[in-house]
């Protein structure tokens, strides 16, 4: 918990994590890749998978479902090595383009009201960055998360129905 708070703390984000924190972040990314591979296996068997997050390699950072370690000249050689390996994990996952990505856009104030335990600055960064992500050319439906729930749900279901087909699957990389 302390390491997580330190990693997400108010200090300069460009500061490199220590080796133990970097290893923990890297192991979490490897766990994510494991779950991602299970999702792909289900999809290959014909299961339509709906996830609340999708990995991306465009923007590193804890809040953006991308690499948590930024490969830079800062930090030890071990931390830079872990960062490079983690980056490759996310680049590999991001090569698989989802059939549909539904992005709920909200302002930072609304996000903070819904998640008061999250730091406002973190939510402000997330609200600024997430709309810029292209998810490797995925079909993205942007919805207004400030709209009434029933309206958002109706629009999301309509988007899903529009792309549904017998073998809705991920585009293989390459």
């Amino acid at each position: 918990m302390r390491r997580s708070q330190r990693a997400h703390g108010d200090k300069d984000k460009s500061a490199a994590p220590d080796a133990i924190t970097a290893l923990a972040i890297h192991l979490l990314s490897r766990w994510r890749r494991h779950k991602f591979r299970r999702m792909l296996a289900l999809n290959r068997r014909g299961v339509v998978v709906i996830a609340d997050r999708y990995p991306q390699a465009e923007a590193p950072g804890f809040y953006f479902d991308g690499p948590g370690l930024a490969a830079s000249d800062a930090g030890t050689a071990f931390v830079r090595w872990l960062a490079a390996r983690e980056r490759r994990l996310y680049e590999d996952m991001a090569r698989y383009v989802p059939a549909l990505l539904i992005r709920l856009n909200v302002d930072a104030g609304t996000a903070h009201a819904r998640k008061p335990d999250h730091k406002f600055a973190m939510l402000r960064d997330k609200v600024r960055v997430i709309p810029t992500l292209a998810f490797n050319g995925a079909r993205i439906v942007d919805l207004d998360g400030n709209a009434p729930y029933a309206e958002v749900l109706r629009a999301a279901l309509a988007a899903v129905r529009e792309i549904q087909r017998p073998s809705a699957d991920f585009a293989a990389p390459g």
Side-chain angles (χ1 to χ4, degrees):
M1 185 69 138
R2 278 193 317 256
R3 288 186 187 283
S4 173
Q5 289 170 345
R6 192 168 57 208
H8 290 87
D10 294 326
K11 67 181 182 179
D12 180 15
K13 282 183 174 238
S14 63
D18 62 29
I20 293 172
T21 303
L23 183 59
I25 292 168
H26 179 74
L27 290 173
L28 287 171
S29 294
R30 291 180 65 86
W31 174 247
R32 180 172 220 185
R33 184 186 62 174
H34 169 73
K35 292 189 304 182
F36 187 83
R37 286 180 172 169
R38 284 184 19 214
M39 177 192 68
L40 291 176
L42 285 169
N43 187 257
R44 280 191 293 273
R45 291 194 317 223
V47 175
V48 175
V49 179
I50 299 173
D52 67 337
R53 301 226 184 297
Y54 200 81
Q56 56 81 23
E58 300 169 62
F62 294 104
Y63 334 129
F64 312 125
D65 296 321
L69 301 169
S72 67
D73 294 332
T76 65
F78 177 66
V79 171
R80 289 191 306 273
W81 178 77
L82 285 175
R85 289 181 55 95
E86 182 194 44
R87 181 108 182 108
R88 284 193 298 273
L89 289 176
Y90 278 90
E91 287 170 350
D92 180 56
M93 289 186 286
R95 288 189 334 212
Y96 292 88
V97 180
L100 175 67
L101 192 133
I102 298 174
R103 183 166 44 204
L104 293 177
N105 297 304
V106 297
D107 58 85
T110 300
H112 193 256
R114 292 178 182 170
K115 296 186 176 216
D117 57 321
H118 289 57
K119 291 183 179 177
F120 186 79
M122 178 191 79
L123 294 170
R124 188 180 54 234
D125 288 348
K126 195 171 186 177
V127 164
R128 179 182 48 78
V129 172
I130 296 296
T132 69
L133 300 177
F135 293 93
N136 201 22
R139 176 167 181 235
I140 299 174
V141 173
D142 283 293
L143 300 180
D144 178 4
N146 295 318
Y149 174 77
E151 183 181 318
V152 173
L153 179 60
R154 201 170 22 258
L157 290 174
V160 169
R161 279 192 289 277
E162 187 178 316
I163 63 101
Q164 251 180 341
R165 59 188 183 277
S167 64
D169 57 10
F170 296 87

